[in-house]
Amino acid sequence: MATVLSLSGSPSATSRTARLLRHLDARLTAQGHHVVPLDVRTLPAAALLGADFSHPAIVRAKALVEQADGLVVGTPVYKAAYSGLLKSLLDLLPQYALAGKTVLPLATGGTTAHVLAIDYALRPVLSSMGAAHIVQGWFTLDKDITVEPDGGVSVAAGAAEALEQVVDQFSAALGHTTVLATAS
Ligand SMILES: Cc1cc2nc3c(=O)[nH]c(=O)nc-3n(C[C@H](O)[C@H](O)[C@H](O)COP(=O)(O)O)c2cc1C
């Protein structure tokens, strides 16, 4: 079993990205992983924007990253890249905060024009932070995510299948990382 930090970088209170992540968390939990959700928007804005490395909430977030074997990093596409909110937290983490960790990058966006934002924008940042293995990510169109009355989401068939595949690949990669970590 691996510990997974499921990190949403949307500033929206009604975020589709965050809901999508919580939906996928359930699949990872069912596969035996311990999933810890974290919405960056719940961290204090002044600490994020003022680079307050020693704020208790930032210290806690840093500890959650340290304790995780893997991370799901989800962001809405903003101006053809990841959200500034996500970056504000990543900037407060140590340079190699992702060393030894497996990462699943996910994005939601309004147009397929930016379907590659994960690869040209997010992936290089995760890589620079030392991630051991960044598995195949997925971009989901916002119109393919329907918010249900209970606050959950349903995902359009094609997108749902692709997401299940990348989550399962991430889960398998986690198993490998955890075994290696136990052996060393
Ligand atoms: C400020 C802003 C900028 C956006 N820029 C883009 C963009 O460049 N490309 C894109 O595909 N979608 C863009 N969108 C649409 C969002 O990425 C999309 O609706 C996403 O699913 C929102 O996720 P959220 O509900 O988790 O915040 C933008 C939305 C906002 C509010």
Side-chain angles (χ1 to χ4, degrees):
M1 182 186 86
T3 298
V4 175
L5 181 63
S6 177
L7 193 66
S8 166
S10 172
S12 165
T14 55
S15 168
R16 280 185 157 76
T17 310
R19 288 183 161 115
L20 180 65
L21 258 60
R22 302 304 150 248
H23 176 72
L24 300 174
D25 291 349
R27 189 172 181 91
L28 287 166
T29 303
Q31 293 177 6
H33 302 298
H34 171 58
V35 181
V36 180
L38 177 63
D39 293 348
V40 182
R41 72 180 301 280
T42 62
L43 300 176
L48 289 169
L49 295 180
D52 186 354
F53 290 85
S54 59
H55 190 290
I58 302 299
V59 172
R60 266 196 307 277
K62 187 178 155 224
L64 290 177
V65 173
E66 273 166 16
Q67 288 154 15
D69 302 299
L71 288 89
V72 179
V73 178
T75 180
V77 176
Y78 275 6
K79 303 289 188 286
Y82 43 75
S83 71
L85 180 68
L86 175 63
K87 190 64 161 49
S88 69
L89 176 62
L90 297 181
D91 287 349
L92 294 186
L93 298 176
Q95 179 63 55
Y96 295 109
L98 302 180
K101 301 184 192 300
T102 301
V103 183
L104 169 60
L106 297 176
T108 72
T111 163
T112 52
H114 296 143
V115 71
L116 293 178
I118 287 177
D119 292 318
Y120 65 68
L122 183 55
R123 191 176 283 270
V125 177
L126 301 172
S127 182
S128 81
M129 295 178 71
H133 187 188
I134 307 171
V135 300
Q136 187 192 337
W138 197 257
F139 169 96
T140 308
L141 277 173
D142 53 8
K143 71 175 179 55
D144 286 343
I145 306 167
T146 304
V147 178
E148 301 293 352
D150 67 359
V153 290
S154 58
V155 183
E161 202 179 310
L163 281 163
E164 284 171 10
Q165 254 181 45
V166 295
V167 167
D168 291 353
Q169 283 165 10
F170 171 64
S171 179
L174 277 173
H176 186 62
T177 316
T178 312
V179 169
L180 281 180
T182 310
S184 60

